[in-house]
Amino acid sequence: MQQEPSKYEPLKIEKKWQTRWEEARAFEPSDDKSLPKKYILSMFPYPSGRIHMGHVRNYTISDAIARHYRQMGYNVLHPMGWDSFGMPAENAAIKHGLHPKKWTYENIDYMRQELASLGLSFSRKREFATSDPLYTKFEQEFIIRMFEEGLLYEKKQRVNWCETCHTVLANEQVIDGRCWRCDNEIALREMPGYYIRITAYAQELLDDLKKLEDGWPKQVVTMQENWIGRSEGLSFRLMLAQQSQAKLGNSFQGFEVFTTRPDTIYGVSYTALAPEHPIVNYLIEHGCLDEAKIAQIKAMQNMPERERATAEKEGVDLEISVINPLTSEEIPVWVANFVLSGYGGGAVMAVPAHDQRDWEFATKYGLPIREVVHAPGSDLEKGAWSGDGVLVASGHYTGMSNREAKDAIIDHFEVLAIGRREINYKLRDWGISRQRYWGAPIPFIHCPACGLVPEAIENLPITLPDDVEITGEGNPLESHPTWKKTACPRCGGDATRETDTMDTFVQSSWYFLRYCTPNDPERPFKREDVDYWMSVDQYVGGIEHAILHLLYARFFTKALRDLGYINVDEPFSNLLTQGMVLKEGAKMSKSKGNTVDPDAIIASYGADTARLFILFAAPPQKELEWNDSAVEGAFKFIRRLVDRSDNVTEKSLPGIDHAALSKEEKTARRKVYEALRKSAEIYENRSFAFNTVIAAAMEALNALNAQKNTLVWSEGYFVLLNILEPVIPHICWELSEKLFELGNFTAITIPQEVFEAESIRLAVTVNGKKRDEIEVSPDLGKEEILSMAKTKCAKWLEDKTLVKEIYVPGKLVNLVVK
RNA sequence: GCGGACGUGGUGAAAUUGGUAUACACGCCAGACUUAGGAUCUGGUGCCGCAAGGCGUGGAGGUUCAAGUCCUCUCGUCCGCACCA
């Protein structure tokens, strides 16, 4: 790579500065809470063993932001830690016989050193791993407090079970019917588990998205909105007809349905139950249906939900009926594979004319399709009309707009007390039980006398036993000879510990709060520290956490607020979702064999080159295509920067008589300050388009190189090293120390004179097409400019009529001809 | 199907938010220095055309003196949700 001797020796320089920063604890924030603060945070990593380019990109972005704000005089908190509980540690144990704790903490040590080699400006005092017992201690305390407040409960429910991970997953962690981590198909299992009542915060989580509209990518806000999935409608009971009640042995009088379209109740032509509905089970168990039907229903029940979603609509007539509360008409009840058991009572009223699913089902089974909302565009031969319209054949609501009718009909149900306005959410409670070893134990005790009892706070943390055998079969805490044996904290009798551990998303839901107080053994964090540092001013991480982590962390923040721990509503004011790092158009992955090893890049080019390439090649939000020769280009730029620093003669920012400068010298100054202006802009508007700042700095260096004035060179380096320090810190500290005694990492005022040119170029366009340019003094009058333009473009005006002349000061002249 | 984002040179990408399209860089071409160059420096490089000139921001319309930018339709790519009644 470098065959010529060069003054630029990245490895030597970088090691030197990393050591000095470390020894000086250069990036610890001040305790002075009167200073203006910035909390800049990247999502903390899982310590998988080695960093990858995605990490490099993530941490380089937030590091640059942190360094910039330090220069601007802010008290900056830029911490780092480890999301260190989780599956891979157990997989390593199974595969290589390593203890998860040893494997995890060794990985942390290695990765810490890898991150240090990137020159990241972390506060080291606040570092922790979520598997540290101290962290577990406070987390268990939160869980117990949530239990006391009814925010956490235990129940038995059908859950998502991953056969590969041998554990339960929350809904958010199932992606296309597969495990988010191992990609295995999930199955359903009836199991007891602990649930956090995130649904109690559904409305606030939805409402507060408004506060995030300016600071978060629109896409993420929309995804969260859809995930929470609020819908407003009517919930009412459909009563079974007399003979049907008798058929069901009088065990059921009716069932509850939820609809967002009460305006279409006059059009209900059948109702449908989920295959899991208790009425369906009763009919099967009591032999009320013939063999063929029972077999069909059983087939539906056995089909996993995921397959049902793509299967053709299918159903069976249950030979019972309910009464339409508005028309008193008898309506048949079917069981249908498209009705979800987990939503709105597991039963729906079907209006084939105005719901596409109901339409398809009705068409297949020859059920009536009755129009009750009429609109010009509607064609019920082709499909359902779910848009707005005017009610027809709807009793005394006929003629009303369907929107008015919706409210009127809800009111009617409420007045008669046969139904009520209801808001439903798609969001489900968050199941946090995992049947794994390497996680935070759920701090509960099962006592034969007292039932479910939380551990006493003074006994926390409940830590994991070290002497376990990890085989991948079953939960090692369950099979441990003594660990789960304990005394009930309430009655003192023999009792058993809960052996489930927590979902690792619990740990990542509050780590940003723990950073506010450096590793306090007494409490999770000091309130005044949280008051000062929160919320996070800039959060940087991958889009893959758009729902999971970001929703849980938002919830946890609100819950801890209501438990009296903090006074924060939203944890992350601004969010930047960085794009993936690609090679050959695909995400880097070991299986594809298209990875680039950060350590190798740093070893051959240095961290500054890696950082420069990553920030220059694309804006941070976009995908980044790895390109070896562009990396080489980044290296060459730094080398040019070093080599040309010989032109600097002054030790500080020199005063320059701008008017006396040559054209090239003025251009150089202008380019330098344009770069500075651009730099300020990208932080202020939070676009973080480092690529444009770097381009501007390159232009400035090119312009400096086109002139010879050493004062202009000196000023140029003073400013350029300031701009580039967040991007390529090592070489900037090296040069700035040598040239300016590090006096240039501070806010620099832009002298406005550099933007005042004595002549400006105006484009001359004819009918909007650029034809020529004129160079004029900036104070020249409109008339003179127009006449110059006309002379210059005489050729284009021949044989034409000039109909309009437009002059945009500082920009252009447009001559309109016919 | 619904929702969101995005389509600009050979490539990664800019464009002061309606005002000179392609800055900066990679690549490529030429030249200089060199035994040599995969080092360095200098210059060139949207497409068609010998030129004058014409054409150009996925495509088609529209608004405007002026459109990559605004509006309508359309095609394509990516992402999310996916029977939520």
Side-chain angles (χ1 to χ4, degrees):
Chain A
M1 174 200 47
Q2 326 157 228
Q3 284 142 16
E4 285 239 326
S6 166
K7 271 175 285 175
Y8 180 43
E9 294 179 278
L11 301 187
K12 221 166 107 186
I13 292 168
E14 291 181 1
K15 188 76 216 151
K16 166 183 158 188
W17 283 101
Q18 284 159 17
T19 308
R20 281 182 54 177
W21 291 333
E22 176 72 32
E23 282 168 359
R25 294 246 180 215
F27 305 116
E28 291 304 329
S30 159
D31 290 331
D32 180 354
K33 293 191 171 65
S34 67
L35 295 168
K37 68 94 187 180
K38 289 282 178 187
Y39 187 173
I40 310 296
L41 183 65
S42 274
M43 291 179 184
F44 66 167
Y46 178 80
S48 56
R50 296 181 75 95
I51 59 167
H52 57 248
M53 279 302 168
H55 290 129
V56 177
R57 193 176 195 195
N58 192 187
Y59 301 127
T60 300
I61 293 165
S62 62
D63 190 58
I65 298 170
R67 285 176 180 272
H68 168 77
Y69 282 116
R70 257 182 232 114
Q71 281 197 12
M72 302 306 285
Y74 285 89
N75 193 18
V76 173
L77 175 55
H78 184 227
M80 173 52 72
W82 309 94
D83 189 14
S84 56
F85 271 138
M87 279 275 310
E90 285 184 69
N91 291 341
I94 295 161
K95 211 166 160 188
H96 309 293
L98 291 163
H99 194 281
K101 188 191 269 184
K102 183 173 154 65
W103 182 85
T104 299
Y105 283 87
E106 281 178 5
N107 284 349
I108 289 174
D109 286 339
Y110 187 79
M111 287 175 73
R112 182 187 298 117
Q113 168 208 315
E114 283 185 297
L115 291 181
S117 76
L118 281 166
L120 302 174
S121 61
F122 294 129
S123 157
R124 291 286 307 279
K125 247 166 88 181
R126 294 156 197 266
E127 182 185 324
F128 60 83
T130 56
S131 53
D132 295 345
L134 201 49
Y135 192 79
T136 299
K137 173 178 165 174
F138 300 117
E139 188 162 299
Q140 288 170 337
E141 180 186 315
F142 295 151
I143 290 298
I144 290 168
R145 293 280 294 115
M146 285 185 187
F147 175 76
E148 289 166 355
E149 295 298 320
L151 274 179
L152 183 132
Y153 61 97
E154 196 197 19
K155 70 171 174 188
K156 198 167 180 183
Q157 186 177 291
R158 272 166 67 126
V159 291
N160 308 304
W161 175 263
C162 175
E163 199 49 60
T164 316
C165 301
H166 287 100
T167 189
V168 163
L169 298 172
N171 281 356
E172 292 83 358
Q173 293 159 17
V174 178
I175 294 154
D176 288 339
R178 291 172 178 279
C179 171
W180 73 284
R181 178 153 256 164
C182 75
D183 210 35
N184 195 47
E185 189 116 5
I186 64 111
L188 290 174
R189 259 201 193 187
E190 182 92 12
M191 285 185 69
Y194 294 84
Y195 290 82
I196 289 183
R197 210 180 294 279
I198 189 171
T199 51
Y201 285 77
Q203 192 60 49
E204 196 190 338
L205 287 167
L206 184 66
D207 290 343
D208 282 0
L209 286 172
K210 282 189 194 71
K211 297 181 187 168
L212 305 175
E213 268 166 7
D214 296 332
W216 284 32
K218 198 179 173 183
Q219 193 196 171
V220 177
V221 172
T222 309
M223 282 166 73
Q224 294 218 349
E225 260 168 26
N226 292 341
W227 189 264
I228 295 166
R230 179 192 152 107
S231 59
E232 213 173 321
L234 171 72
S235 182
F236 66 100
R237 200 165 173 78
L238 280 165
M239 302 306 288
L240 286 151
Q242 284 303 323
Q243 312 94 298
S244 301
Q245 289 198 25
K247 197 169 184 177
L248 288 161
N250 292 315
S251 305
F252 303 91
Q253 291 183 311
F255 53 84
E256 206 67 28
V257 291
F258 173 71
T259 179
T260 55
R261 294 294 305 272
D263 49 314
T264 63
I265 292 179
Y266 282 88
V268 174
S269 61
Y270 64 99
T271 67
L273 303 178
E276 290 76 21
H277 199 280
I279 290 180
V280 177
N281 283 327
Y282 184 96
L283 290 167
I284 294 173
E285 283 159 23
H286 293 77
C288 302
L289 297 165
D290 65 44
E291 296 284 315
K293 283 191 174 182
I294 289 176
Q296 248 184 300
I297 296 170
K298 287 200 164 160
M300 276 188 233
Q301 290 176 334
N302 290 334
M303 187 184 276
E305 296 233 4
R306 170 167 171 69
E307 279 176 47
R308 283 189 214 172
T310 49
E312 202 190 323
K313 296 206 180 351
E314 203 182 19
V316 174
D317 184 353
L318 294 174
E319 298 161 24
I320 52 174
S321 53
V322 290
I323 309 296
N324 183 324
L326 292 184
T327 63
S328 303
E329 184 193 5
E330 272 197 38
I331 308 159
V333 180
W334 286 60
V335 55
N337 64 344
F338 68 88
V339 180
L340 301 172
S341 59
Y343 188 81
V348 297
M349 61 171 225
V351 186
H354 305 295
D355 183 290
Q356 186 59 24
R357 296 158 298 192
D358 299 345
W359 187 91
E360 284 169 30
F361 192 84
T363 305
K364 179 167 176 179
Y365 292 106
L367 293 157
I369 298 172
R370 279 203 301 258
E371 181 182 56
V372 289
V373 177
H374 184 74
S378 167
D379 179 359
L380 299 179
E381 295 293 312
K382 290 190 181 138
W385 173 258
S386 54
D388 289 332
V390 175
L391 263 64
V392 293
S394 299
H396 70 271
Y397 299 100
T398 300
M400 236 184 222
S401 83
N402 71 302
R403 293 189 180 224
E404 283 174 87
K406 178 173 173 175
D407 280 325
I409 291 174
I410 294 176
D411 289 345
H412 175 78
F413 273 83
E414 288 196 323
V415 166
L416 297 181
I418 53 170
R420 69 215 156 271
R421 191 178 294 273
E422 198 169 277
I423 292 158
N424 259 304
Y425 301 92
K426 286 203 278 181
L427 184 68
R428 294 281 96 103
D429 278 344
W430 173 19
I432 59 157
S433 284
R434 297 292 179 274
Q435 292 68 37
R436 309 292 315 183
Y437 165 72
W438 192 237
I442 296 180
F444 289 96
I445 287 158
H446 301 274
C447 170
C450 311
L452 186 70
V453 181
E455 179 59 278
I457 298 289
E458 60 269 23
N459 293 342
L460 301 181
I462 299 161
T463 54
L464 296 167
D466 285 337
D467 54 334
V468 288
E469 203 186 329
I470 294 175
T471 58
E473 297 296 314
N475 181 350
L477 296 179
E478 190 67 48
S479 47
H480 191 279
T482 55
W483 185 80
K484 67 180 177 184
K485 290 180 186 158
T486 187
C488 170
R490 194 162 295 164
C491 70
D494 285 350
T496 324
R497 279 198 191 290
E498 175 56 58
T499 56
D500 282 355
T501 51
M502 288 186 226
D503 181 6
T504 57
F505 281 105
V506 177
Q507 284 95 67
S508 52
S509 292
W510 69 282
Y511 76 109
F512 45 88
L513 297 171
R514 179 75 176 156
Y515 285 142
C516 293
T517 303
N519 289 322
D520 191 329
E522 300 301 325
R523 67 215 110 182
F525 35 73
K526 286 193 192 124
R527 190 165 185 133
E528 68 261 34
D529 291 338
V530 173
D531 286 346
Y532 175 67
W533 287 114
M534 287 296 284
S535 63
V536 175
D537 295 280
Q538 187 62 54
Y539 199 30
V540 183
I543 184 81
E544 66 274 20
H545 293 107
I547 293 173
L548 293 169
H549 161 60
L550 291 170
L551 190 65
Y552 296 144
R554 291 183 61 221
F555 158 76
F556 230 82
T557 302
K558 292 173 190 300
L560 290 181
R561 175 201 63 197
D562 292 344
L563 291 172
Y565 283 98
I566 56 175
N567 186 29
V568 183
D569 295 324
E570 283 291 338
F572 315 121
S573 316
N574 296 293
L575 172 70
L576 187 159
T577 48
Q578 104 226 23
M580 284 192 300
V581 185
L582 309 179
K583 194 175 183 203
E584 287 132 26
K587 183 178 181 175
M588 286 189 184
S589 79
K590 275 179 220 147
S591 58
K592 291 198 198 83
N594 62 344
T595 55
V596 177
D597 176 20
D599 291 347
I601 295 293
I602 293 167
S604 45
Y605 295 99
D608 282 342
T609 293
R611 295 172 59 123
L612 179 62
F613 166 74
I614 273 183
L615 294 179
F616 182 54
Q621 300 81 350
K622 243 186 126 163
E623 290 178 336
L624 169 72
E625 174 69 27
W626 191 265
N627 178 336
D628 288 325
S629 37
V631 174
E632 186 82 32
F635 178 81
K636 287 177 188 170
F637 170 73
I638 300 176
R639 190 155 67 186
R640 273 200 302 280
L641 185 73
V642 173
D643 291 345
R644 290 172 191 174
S645 68
D646 292 345
N647 295 305
V648 174
T649 52
E650 308 305 303
K651 283 274 174 204
S652 60
L653 193 64
I656 293 176
D657 178 4
H658 193 68
L661 298 179
S662 73
K663 199 175 161 189
E664 287 75 21
E665 291 162 349
K666 283 179 177 166
T667 303
R669 287 197 81 200
R670 196 187 76 235
K671 291 276 185 187
V672 165
Y673 283 105
E674 275 174 0
L676 183 61
R677 195 164 62 176
K678 186 86 206 166
S679 171
E681 183 188 308
I682 66 145
Y683 297 102
E684 267 161 36
N685 68 14
R686 295 195 311 268
S687 70
F688 303 115
F690 295 102
N691 54 329
T692 63
V693 174
I694 295 164
M698 287 172 167
E699 276 189 72
L701 188 64
N702 292 344
L704 283 171
N705 204 42
Q707 57 84 53
K708 292 198 163 58
N709 185 326
T710 56
L711 292 183
V712 174
W713 272 105
S714 303
E715 179 192 45
Y717 263 69
F718 192 93
V719 175
L720 282 183
L721 295 176
N722 169 285
I723 297 169
L724 291 170
E725 189 268 345
V727 179
I728 45 174
H730 306 89
I731 192 59
C732 287
W733 281 67
E734 177 73 15
L735 292 176
S736 291
E737 184 186 48
K738 195 170 90 190
L739 304 174
F740 308 116
E741 290 157 355
L742 293 172
N744 58 329
F745 295 157
T746 173
I748 298 171
T749 315
I750 298 178
Q752 286 307 312
E753 66 199 26
V754 300
F755 299 128
E756 289 157 14
E758 64 227 31
S759 74
I760 50 170
R761 296 174 96 79
L762 296 176
V764 182
T765 62
V766 178
N767 287 346
K769 273 193 169 46
K770 186 188 167 190
R771 293 303 183 186
D772 216 322
E773 278 181 354
I774 50 176
E775 189 151 350
V776 298
S777 120
D779 43 5
L780 194 64
K782 180 179 176 182
E783 294 311 316
E784 286 94 330
I785 287 172
L786 287 175
S787 95
M788 275 177 79
K790 278 180 267 186
T791 316
K792 200 84 187 248
C793 286
K795 176 182 171 188
W796 303 97
L797 305 177
E798 273 171 36
D799 306 327
K800 299 272 165 58
T801 322
L802 190 58
V803 293
K804 205 164 180 181
E805 299 167 21
I806 287 153
Y807 167 55
V808 184
K811 298 271 160 84
L812 52 71
V813 171
N814 191 19
L815 303 172
V816 186
V817 299
K818 265 188 186 163

